[in-house]
Amino acid sequence: MIAIKDLHKSYHMGNNSLHVLKGINFEANEGEMIAIMGSSGSGKSTFLNILGMLDEADLGSYHLDNVPIKNLNEKVAARYRNQFLGFIFQSFNLITYKSALDNVSMPLYYQGVKRSVRTEKAMHYLEKVGLADWATHLPSELSGGQKQRVAIARALASDPKVLLADEPTGALDTKTSYEVMELIQGINDEGKTILVVTHEEDIAHMCKRIVHLKDGKILDDKTVEQVRAKTPAHV
Amino acid sequence: MFNRDRWNEILEALNANRFRTFLTAFGVFWGIFILVLLLALTNGLKNGVQADFGNFATNSIFMWSQGTSMPYKGLPKGRYFNFKLSDVQALKDNIPELKYVSPRNQLGGFRGSNNVTRNEKTGAFDIYGDYPEFINQQPLDIMEGRFLSYSDIEAKRKIAVIGQDVIRSLYDKGEEVIGSYIKINGINFLVVGTFKNANSQGDNEQEANTIYVPFTTFSQAFNRADNVGWMAITAHDDVSITSVKPRIMTMMRELRTVHPDDKRAIGHFDLAEEFAKITGLFNILTVVGYFVGALVLLSGVIGISNIMLIVVKERTKEIGVRRALGASPWNIRSQVLQESLVLTIISGMIGISFASGIIWIMNTILDSVGPVENFANPSVGIGVIIIALSILIISGLLAGLIPATRATQMKPVDALRIE
């Protein structure tokens, strides 16, 4: 699904050059659920941005579903993002003046899907994350966990190949975090490939594979026993 | 480009900060309001002044003889001469550009002595000997009967067409005017028509004090032989009388044996030139109206541009999110452009409507208080509205252009990082 070879990325600020990614080799197969861990400055966010086509690598190759991702202009990149990827952000990034339903149908809007079809699909995904009753509410009327679930529904709306989650539980308390992870695990169970950037050990262990990044290189890459995120009654 | 979803997107975005949207819109509203109002007021002034010209054939000159100022061919200077009827025919024959050449003779005048009597009533009036076509040069509203005709000219009938004030002075109320006789300088004339001046203002009173009789009758009755007092000359609509004028003058000097350089021998008044001066003045006023209005509008447009820049800045993160979700740069750019366009056009339309309302109120007041000196019917044509709308559309696009470009300049990854 994802094949990355010898990926390099540097940032230039004035005369200083910061080598963030120093030769990453990485592969992910369909249906995997991978945690990308690392301390801040390890390059995990940059890595995720490149995977998400929000940023471009300096060197190396990147194939997504056998499509080479190289020298894309913004128009094509936007289309690929819409087609291949679903984003889940730490701070949810819902559009504040749009209802939950409209937020979810947004990727479909950019796909040019008809309004009635769009609403139907968006409603389906809202039901899936258990928020059908909240469809007409604005993000400001939702709790943090609910917001993230709307964001997950939005990421799923365009039926992407890969979900990219950047610290999806970073802004949530433990109980809500586990609820959200339970949902993400459920989506993975249905066969969707998911990458989760996190620095929390317990969250990482809810994935099937953990990749450690340090100083722009992969430190280790191991398969783990997945811990099911059953909402703990005692928390 | 403007489907229902787009509308929703735009309206949602504009609704998100209503007070700011309102304030921004006000700038453009005010600009177009001032523009339309200025043009309407200019138009009102123009209508008011041009009403003084009435339906007068403005492509006309009036020409009369004065004393010569140069000796010529043995004739002394200071000689007084008259145009002759043959001159009129010569002008008609030789200058095809002329539409009407009306010779005129006059009796009485400003504060003249009593010259008209009817039974025991008398009055002092202007009496003109005229040709039938004169009514085309200076329109009159015939109230009863008719104006002069060519058969009157040929038969030298002693008939008269009289003004409203003449009737008031010489007749009792309710008396039958048509078919009665009046005595001009002791000669009886049959009244065949009455008129009211079509002019709205100005020399109303003098005009209403006028009596028209056939030119030939006038000449014979008052001993003018074939002399012509003055001429009213009108050119065809597609020729300017001012351009034909030198030929008329040259010809008259030749026929009347006047020195070719003697400018003073023939006096004239060029109505077309005067009219053009006034028209020119109003054209300048219109340009000033557009200029000032457009500048006021410009500040409104800059306001919109400014606010759109702030909006784009504020929504940097939102734009980043949208791009992560698959919005192409064109999606983003067109949305910003359309927001600015919709804002401009809607506020502009309200401005135009509002200005129309004010103009309507002005007209209503003008109608109720009656005519006002030099001001009538302030209005703007549909052409002006279309121009104003196109200015709005162009300025809306211009206002959105910079912010729209700004919106897509930032890379999505940087836009997402903004908190």
Side-chain angles (χ1 to χ4, degrees):
Chain A
M1 179 62 65
I2 294 173
I4 281 176
K5 280 201 183 71
D6 203 27
L7 198 77
H8 285 265
K9 176 75 185 175
S10 321
Y11 287 112
H12 301 276
M13 286 168 211
N15 293 327
N16 300 328
S17 155
L18 192 63
H19 205 167
V20 184
L21 297 179
K22 303 166 182 170
I24 302 265
N25 289 293
F26 175 82
E27 283 199 24
N29 297 315
E30 196 166 351
E32 279 200 283
M33 182 166 173
I34 304 167
I36 296 167
M37 293 199 71
S39 53
S40 59
S42 61
K44 59 184 190 315
S45 287
T46 307
F47 184 51
L48 197 74
N49 286 336
I50 290 172
L51 284 178
M53 295 177 234
L54 296 169
D55 209 344
E56 205 165 357
D58 300 332
L59 277 175
S61 71
Y62 169 23
H63 285 79
L64 179 62
D65 201 25
N66 293 323
V67 179
I69 307 298
K70 187 78 185 165
N71 295 330
L72 302 179
N73 67 34
E74 251 308 317
K75 196 177 159 192
V76 179
R79 207 179 67 220
Y80 281 5
R81 280 198 289 268
N82 187 287
Q83 231 172 329
F84 292 141
L85 303 169
F87 289 91
I88 301 165
F89 302 95
Q90 176 175 4
S91 51
F92 325 129
N93 284 346
L94 298 176
I95 289 169
T96 50
Y97 54 84
K98 284 182 176 292
S99 69
L101 186 71
D102 285 344
N103 264 291
V104 174
S105 58
M106 182 135 284
L108 299 168
Y109 168 65
Y110 286 120
Q111 248 172 26
V113 175
K114 253 176 56 193
R115 189 181 178 81
S116 53
V117 179
R118 215 163 63 207
T119 311
E120 197 182 309
K121 275 194 178 177
M123 205 59 210
H124 166 75
Y125 285 107
L126 270 181
E127 267 166 34
K128 203 175 160 111
V129 299
L131 285 176
D133 294 340
W134 299 82
T136 56
H137 288 244
L138 290 176
S140 55
E141 295 158 349
L142 303 174
S143 73
Q146 286 173 324
K147 281 186 208 171
Q148 195 57 300
R149 287 186 353 224
V150 171
I152 291 169
R154 181 176 67 179
L156 288 172
S158 59
D159 193 21
K161 307 252 182 238
V162 177
L163 276 193
L164 298 175
D166 189 359
E167 304 270 11
T169 58
L172 304 173
D173 61 43
T174 313
K175 182 171 182 284
T176 327
S177 294
Y178 280 40
E179 284 169 6
V180 165
M181 281 314 288
E182 193 183 0
L183 181 63
I184 292 178
Q185 282 179 335
I187 293 161
N188 177 244
D189 290 345
E190 287 167 21
K192 190 112 8 211
T193 314
I194 301 177
L195 269 74
V196 181
V197 165
T198 183
H199 61 270
E200 292 167 81
E201 282 291 341
D202 53 342
I203 298 298
H205 278 91
M206 290 172 191
C207 300
K208 296 169 176 170
R209 181 178 151 196
I210 299 179
V211 174
H212 271 276
L213 280 182
K214 192 172 186 189
D215 296 334
K217 283 183 177 161
I218 292 182
L219 197 64
D220 65 3
D221 183 346
K222 60 180 190 240
T223 313
V224 294
E225 184 72 27
Q226 187 180 33
V227 178
R228 297 303 294 192
K230 285 271 179 271
T231 314
H234 61 275
V235 177
Chain B
M1 191 157 146
F2 270 105
N3 54 34
R4 190 175 150 202
D5 296 321
R6 260 290 148 73
W7 275 113
N8 282 342
E9 285 279 304
I10 291 167
L11 293 182
E12 270 175 350
L14 292 179
N15 242 333
N17 197 335
R18 269 183 228 162
F19 186 63
R20 187 167 66 193
T21 303
F22 169 77
L23 279 185
T24 312
F26 189 80
V28 165
F29 160 81
W30 190 243
I32 203 85
F33 174 73
I34 296 281
L35 176 71
V36 173
L37 211 57
L38 266 179
L39 292 177
L41 292 180
T42 310
N43 217 355
L45 208 58
K46 184 174 170 176
N47 289 340
V49 173
Q50 282 185 349
D52 285 350
F53 282 89
N55 298 326
F56 222 101
T58 46
N59 197 15
S60 300
I61 62 169
F62 301 97
M63 185 173 74
W64 58 92
S65 54
Q66 307 177 142
T68 58
S69 65
M70 290 180 187
Y72 186 57
K73 288 190 175 168
L75 294 166
K77 83 180 218 184
R79 174 178 66 97
Y80 192 80
F81 66 97
N82 274 311
F83 294 129
K84 300 288 178 188
L85 264 178
S86 60
D87 299 342
V88 176
Q89 200 52 48
L91 281 176
K92 282 182 178 170
D93 292 346
N94 292 312
I95 306 181
E97 290 93 331
L98 299 182
K99 196 170 171 189
Y100 306 118
V101 183
S102 306
R104 304 190 76 190
N105 273 323
Q106 188 182 357
L107 204 66
F110 183 65
R111 288 188 177 170
S113 56
N114 285 349
N115 49 14
V116 181
T117 61
R118 176 173 179 264
N119 302 337
E120 64 280 3
K121 293 184 175 175
T122 63
F125 304 108
D126 293 349
I127 295 104
Y128 289 104
D130 265 311
Y131 269 83
E133 59 257 38
F134 187 69
I135 197 169
N136 295 323
Q137 291 169 289
Q138 183 181 331
L140 301 169
D141 287 343
I142 298 295
M143 308 300 288
E144 269 185 287
R146 62 178 178 86
F147 194 63
L148 311 172
S149 76
Y150 263 97
S151 65
D152 298 329
I153 297 282
E154 277 153 27
K156 297 181 185 170
R157 286 193 194 116
K158 290 197 285 255
I159 55 146
V161 180
I162 63 179
Q164 293 294 303
D165 277 9
V166 181
I167 300 170
R168 231 165 281 148
S169 313
L170 298 183
Y171 292 81
D172 292 329
K173 211 167 187 134
E175 220 175 334
E176 186 59 47
V177 178
I178 305 291
S180 64
Y181 283 90
I182 55 172
K183 221 172 234 181
I184 304 171
N185 278 5
I187 298 162
N188 271 317
F189 281 80
L190 174 68
V191 177
V192 298
T194 66
F195 71 88
K196 204 176 82 179
N197 187 17
N199 239 6
S200 73
Q201 286 160 355
D203 42 8
N204 249 353
E205 200 181 332
Q206 194 192 336
E207 289 293 339
N209 266 321
T210 299
I211 299 172
Y212 292 99
V213 304
F215 186 86
T216 46
T217 318
F218 188 103
S219 300
Q220 195 168 58
F222 307 121
N223 301 321
R224 296 296 169 94
D226 59 347
N227 288 341
V228 172
W230 43 302
M231 292 185 217
I233 305 173
T234 305
H236 283 290
D237 293 342
D238 50 346
V239 195
S240 140
I241 188 73
T242 312
S243 68
V244 187
K245 197 165 69 182
R247 277 161 65 200
I248 298 175
M249 294 297 164
T250 312
M251 195 167 156
M252 283 300 108
R253 284 191 202 106
E254 205 178 288
L255 288 170
R256 289 298 115 226
T257 342
V258 174
H259 193 285
D261 297 329
D262 192 349
K263 301 267 187 249
R264 264 203 267 164
I266 299 170
H268 76 275
F269 177 79
D270 190 333
L271 191 61
E273 217 169 62
E274 297 303 311
F275 192 70
K277 272 185 206 160
I278 288 169
T279 312
L281 181 70
F282 283 109
N283 286 342
I284 292 171
L285 265 182
T286 306
V287 170
V288 170
Y290 268 111
F291 186 69
V292 174
L295 285 186
V296 178
L297 186 61
L298 182 69
S299 59
V301 169
I302 291 174
I304 287 209
S305 195
N306 209 352
I307 289 293
M308 289 310 291
L309 271 178
I310 294 174
V311 167
V312 163
K313 181 119 186 138
E314 266 184 8
R315 282 161 55 187
T316 305
K317 183 146 192 183
E318 180 196 321
I319 289 168
V321 173
R322 282 171 183 270
R323 291 177 74 180
L325 295 179
S328 67
W330 169 244
N331 285 143
I332 302 288
R333 245 199 310 266
S334 61
Q335 164 143 18
V336 175
L337 269 183
Q338 283 167 25
E339 272 176 35
S340 120
L341 204 57
V342 165
L343 199 57
T344 316
I345 291 179
I346 288 181
S347 48
M349 298 269 229
I350 296 172
I352 291 174
S353 319
F354 208 75
S356 313
I358 298 283
I359 292 168
W360 183 80
I361 291 171
M362 265 199 285
N363 273 318
T364 312
I365 293 173
L366 277 179
D367 283 348
S368 64
V369 300
V372 176
E373 192 76 26
N374 287 339
F375 196 80
N377 186 27
S379 58
V380 287
I382 192 74
V384 171
I385 298 297
I386 290 170
I387 291 174
L389 272 180
S390 15
I391 293 178
L392 275 179
I393 292 172
I394 293 169
S395 45
L397 283 174
L398 284 180
L401 211 57
I402 301 171
T405 319
R406 186 68 60 83
T408 49
Q409 254 168 6
M410 200 179 264
K411 283 201 293 186
V413 61
D414 298 323
L416 278 170
R417 214 172 277 149
I418 303 268
E419 284 306 326

